[in-house]
Amino acid sequence: MRTSPRYTGIAIGAVAALLLAGCSGGNSAQNTDDASGGSVVIDAAFSIETADPGNTYDPTGNMVAKALYETLVDFKGSDVNTPIPGLADWTQNDAATEFTFTLEDGRVFSDGSPITADDVVFSLQRIQGMADAKPAFLLAGVTIEKVDEKTVTFTTATPLLQLPAILANPALGIVNSKVVEKNGGATDGTDTAQAFLDGESAGSGPFVLDSLDLTSQVVLTRNDEYNGDEEAAYDRVVIRNVTESATQKINLEGGDTMVAMDLNGDQVANLADNLTVASVPSAQTIFLLVNQNATVGGVTANPKFAEAVRYALDYDALLELAGTGASEATGVIPPSFAGALADGVKQDLAASTAALTASGYTGETVRLQYPNDYPVGGVEFTPLAERVQAQLKDAGINVELAPAPFTTEIDPYVNGTEAFSMWFWGPDYADTANFLPFAPGLKVGLRAGWTADANPEIADLATQAAAATDPDTREAIFTDFATAMQQDGPFVPLIVPGSNIATANTVTGAVYNAVWTMDIAELSPTS
């Protein structure tokens, strides 16, 4: 049996949600105690629909759920490769089809009642029972059973080596089953507990919910019963909805807030000396899609056309538009995940010309579709598309830009009717398996009209990676998958945008994580 590692050394999308309106003002950081035990004010562009972990699946919602509810598994800091025990330690069989979790002794909910196996089973089966709940797919095909008061088993029909990483998602936070059941909670699909959980939390995290206004702010207070490893350093946390990054910067520099979540690369490059910023590549990838369905794409369906596009681009020049914290996308797997490639494609105009000739391209104008109202990590799509257009023109490819609002563009992208488009992808949980959908015959591959029989070799690599039970072997297969995708896939990865979390110099511990953006409990006053 393999066992989970137990150590705490710090190491290093869902897709878009519409931003809600907001403004600054009120709850000024200048009016709070900035010593330990005081308050911290955070500005963020809200993407939150609920404080109910079983129904949340948005960046701000995940950050709030992480503060209120603990999960069986955790990560420290920005590390998304090393799952560590959260509420429980675990073992697994060699086939990676059975995982046994044992709860830590003495852990309690915010009302002081003990956390038991019944709470774990109820919490996760509740999500499985809510067919329309956004995180329900995370536990598809998983059977969850109580062994005794401290032990729960998870079984699957096929290997699921990524299960511990999945269980770290804040949406799978453990709730107090007795409290939630009394307030509408159920596992049979009749659950109505969200209304209750939007007004009062029922978890074991470092904080409890004080108030929730989905359009303006969320207020958290310290959980006095908390007895885990991440005790809150602040008595009160105010998360305000400030949609404009420029306003967040003004608030931070003016002392009206202490943490700004959404500054772009240019903004953090000019911060005042009394402010600090943690800038790292995010887990999202901006890429070009080259449709392989001849009915949809015409000339784009020839694999050589995608190759011509891939070698035509000057990736360093594209990266200039992304600013601080961003990096070149070296493949469909971002750099913080196992299997990512060390180096990306380099511009090679001779190779591009040869591939373009082989594709049968004769100068047709190709439309580049993209959402023009949803920056990713501060990267605006229109200037990026304009630079791609200019570089492809220099390589002999004529491109017409076809921007549209996100809400207009998302359906043709999902339905696979875009011949040539620019989009982005982020992980649903902290494991490289998130990027297998780019394979032929899988979700994102099919959006590019790429069926499994179009490239059986890459399809087989994806199958092997999904079934692997040894971590080292699995990582090697992921690397082979990423390499093959860069050589023969219909996707051209461009940029991994940066994540820039800026703070006043009175606050430390603001660290980006691909799953919950920032762990609020890691914030503390500087000594």
Side-chain angles (χ1 to χ4, degrees):
M1 302 283 282
R2 295 193 186 96
T3 60
S4 64
R6 182 179 283 279
Y7 56 87
T8 57
I10 294 180
I12 305 251
V15 294
L18 297 178
L19 299 179
L20 302 172
C23 59
S24 63
N27 298 300
S28 169
Q30 293 178 330
N31 297 327
T32 62
D33 298 325
D34 56 12
S36 179
S39 300
V40 62
V41 179
I42 300 167
D43 280 357
F46 271 21
S47 52
I48 181 172
E49 297 178 347
T50 178
D52 176 357
N55 281 292
T56 195
Y57 212 71
D58 308 295
T60 309
N62 281 346
M63 185 170 67
V64 170
K66 172 66 175 171
L68 300 177
Y69 298 91
E70 291 182 282
T71 48
L72 295 178
V73 181
D74 202 358
F75 290 102
K76 293 298 290 185
S78 291
D79 179 15
V80 291
N81 287 310
T82 313
I84 62 173
L87 283 173
D89 205 344
W90 70 93
T91 60
Q92 67 185 64
N93 66 0
D94 290 336
T97 57
E98 182 175 306
F99 298 77
T100 301
F101 283 81
T102 303
L103 289 167
E104 184 178 348
D105 289 336
R107 299 304 310 281
V108 298
F109 287 110
S110 58
D111 65 357
S113 60
I115 301 170
T116 69
D118 289 323
D119 298 303
V120 174
V121 173
F122 171 83
S123 299
L124 303 182
Q125 288 185 350
R126 172 180 178 249
I127 295 170
Q128 290 179 317
M130 296 188 294
D132 294 333
K134 289 182 178 180
F137 78 97
L138 294 171
L139 297 172
V142 180
T143 300
I144 306 164
E145 297 177 304
K146 173 184 174 180
V147 176
D148 57 39
E149 288 302 307
K150 290 291 182 182
T151 311
V152 177
T153 60
F154 295 73
T155 57
T156 60
T158 57
L160 195 64
L161 201 61
Q162 63 266 36
L163 180 64
I166 291 173
L167 292 173
N169 192 296
L172 305 184
I174 305 306
V175 303
N176 187 325
S177 60
K178 292 184 176 63
V179 171
V180 174
E181 282 186 291
K182 287 179 181 177
N183 291 277
T187 61
D188 61 0
T190 62
D191 185 271
T192 59
Q194 180 176 332
F196 169 75
L197 293 171
D198 281 344
E200 183 176 339
S201 54
S204 63
F207 294 94
V208 294
L209 182 65
D210 180 82
S211 64
L212 172 72
D213 186 322
L214 298 175
T215 64
S216 61
Q217 70 179 25
V218 181
V219 179
L220 314 177
T221 56
R222 182 198 298 268
N223 173 9
D224 292 331
E225 296 292 336
Y226 179 76
N227 61 352
D229 296 330
E230 285 193 327
E231 185 172 355
Y234 292 99
D235 285 335
R236 187 170 183 263
V237 176
V238 180
I239 309 166
R240 305 185 305 184
N241 183 21
V242 182
T243 61
E244 296 292 334
S245 60
T247 305
Q248 291 189 21
K249 184 172 184 286
I250 291 169
N251 290 346
L252 184 64
E253 292 180 331
D256 192 47
T257 190
M258 299 157 80
V259 181
M261 299 293 298
D262 301 294
L263 303 192
N264 63 39
D266 290 338
Q267 289 167 333
V268 300
N270 313 278
L271 286 179
D273 291 341
N274 64 334
L275 305 175
T276 59
V277 61
S279 297
V280 297
S282 69
Q284 300 195 87
T285 300
I286 299 174
F287 62 89
L288 297 175
L289 176 154
V290 185
N291 203 298
Q292 301 299 288
N293 183 334
T295 302
V296 173
V299 70
T300 71
N302 189 307
K304 285 294 183 179
F305 185 84
E307 182 179 331
V309 171
R310 185 176 296 114
Y311 285 111
L313 298 175
D314 180 348
Y315 296 93
D316 291 338
L318 297 179
L319 187 59
E320 291 173 358
L321 297 173
T324 303
S327 69
E328 178 188 343
T330 60
V332 296
I333 302 174
S336 57
F337 285 81
L341 303 178
D343 300 305
V345 170
K346 300 302 179 187
Q347 186 181 40
D348 186 336
L349 292 178
S352 177
T353 298
L356 194 60
T357 300
S359 75
Y361 178 77
T362 57
E364 303 96 319
T365 296
V366 180
R367 296 175 73 243
L368 176 61
Q369 297 177 247
Y370 60 91
N372 65 349
D373 60 350
Y374 194 85
V376 177
V379 178
E380 299 278 354
F381 274 36
T382 293
L384 181 58
E386 290 171 346
R387 190 161 293 191
V388 167
Q389 179 190 40
Q391 291 182 4
L392 293 181
K393 178 68 174 178
D394 291 342
I397 303 172
N398 297 315
V399 173
E400 173 192 350
L401 300 186
F406 178 88
T407 52
T408 300
E409 205 63 43
I410 185 66
D411 283 345
Y413 163 60
V414 169
N415 294 330
T417 60
E418 295 180 334
F420 190 40
S421 58
M422 181 186 296
W423 277 95
F424 60 96
W425 181 263
D428 291 311
Y429 50 88
D431 187 85
T432 311
N434 275 274
F435 308 100
L436 292 178
F438 282 92
L442 299 183
K443 180 165 63 176
V444 187
L446 291 174
R447 292 174 183 175
W450 202 29
T451 59
D453 58 4
N455 196 312
E457 293 80 8
I458 296 180
D460 183 59
L461 284 172
T463 300
Q464 290 181 46
T469 59
D470 176 74
D472 292 336
T473 300
R474 184 173 185 254
E475 182 172 352
I477 298 171
F478 277 129
T479 301
D480 291 343
F481 170 75
T483 301
M485 290 290 295
Q486 281 293 70
Q487 293 172 347
D488 299 312
F491 303 99
V492 182
L494 302 176
I495 292 171
V496 176
S499 170
N500 299 296
I501 304 176
T503 64
N505 61 9
T506 56
V507 177
T508 188
V511 178
Y512 170 78
N513 183 281
V515 181
W516 47 75
T517 309
M518 182 181 71
D519 185 348
I520 295 171
E522 292 182 350
L523 297 178
S524 64
T526 52
S527 54

